[in-house]
């Protein structure tokens, strides 16, 4: 049986700027897939390749979400991730991302952009294969 560890926003420090000081980062994670679900409200589900990144989480679910920057995110590299709680009680996630585009000379062109996702709550899921822990983290107002 796997060990489960759950966290919610009460376990994290919220700075004066509204930024939530989380003990993980999605730096160097690659977004493998994005799924949109309308079951029980609008959800954006990101599946990550977290090998070499600074997190054990490999799936993020944004509930009741709005994407403020519309860009192709499948296959992009996360450079930085930051989480904020806004005055209206919703969460804002900023992901600094980098994509590779091939040009006509078959050389790589790196394109950096910022993905901003506003959501009612955020769920993180992952497995630490070293000690077989299942991690779940929820940013939600209780």
């Amino acid at each position: 049986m796997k060990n489960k560890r759950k966290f919610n926003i009460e376990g994290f420090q919220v700075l004066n700027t509204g930024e939530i000081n989380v003990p993980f980062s999605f730096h160097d994670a690659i977004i493998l897939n994005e799924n949109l679900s309308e079951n029980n409200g609008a959800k954006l589900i990101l599946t990550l390749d977290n090998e070499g990144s600074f997190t054990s989480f490999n799936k993020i679910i944004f509930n009741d979400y709005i994407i403020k920057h519309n860009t192709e995110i499948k296959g992009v590299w996360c450079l930085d991730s930051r989480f904020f709680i806004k005055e209206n009680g919703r969460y804002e996630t900023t992901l600094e991302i980098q994509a590779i585009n091939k040009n006509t000379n078959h050389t790589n062109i790196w394109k950096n952009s910022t993905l901003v996702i506003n959501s009612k709550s955020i769920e993180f899921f992952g497995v630490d294969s070293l000690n077989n822990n299942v991690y779940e983290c929820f940013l939600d107002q209780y």
Side-chain angles (χ1 to χ4, degrees), residues 49-94:
D49 175 355
N50 60 3
E51 187 176 335
S53 70
F54 295 92
T55 184
S56 295
F57 296 120
N58 59 6
K59 181 166 66 169
I60 311 170
I61 300 174
F62 299 93
N63 296 298
D64 188 16
Y65 73 96
I66 300 166
I67 296 179
K68 294 184 177 181
H69 180 78
N70 195 7
T71 186
E72 175 68 33
I73 58 176
K74 182 178 177 181
V76 301
W77 215 300
C78 284
L79 301 176
D80 190 24
S81 55
R82 297 173 72 189
F83 303 91
F84 299 87
I85 185 155
K86 301 311 235 177
E87 291 177 6
N88 61 5
R90 291 179 62 89
Y91 295 91
E92 188 168 276
T93 302
T94 60

Side-chain angles (χ1 to χ4, degrees), residues 114-128:
T114 302
L115 177 67
V116 179
I117 304 167
N118 184 288
S119 59
K120 183 176 181 180
S121 63
I122 310 170
E123 303 171 50
F124 305 91
F125 299 93
V127 176
D128 181 354

Side-chain angles (χ1 to χ4, degrees), residues 8 14 16-17 22 28 32 34 50 53 64 68 74 84 86 98 102 105 111 116 118 122 130 132 137 141:
N8 64 34
V14 179
N16 290 341
T17 60
V22 295
D28 282 347
L32 296 176
E34 68 176 297
N50 60 3
S53 70
D64 188 16
K68 294 184 177 181
K74 182 178 177 181
F84 299 87
K86 301 311 235 177
Q98 187 173 66
K102 300 271 187 191
N105 296 329
K111 180 182 176 189
V116 179
N118 184 288
I122 310 170
L130 186 61
N132 215 25
C137 176
Q141 297 294 319

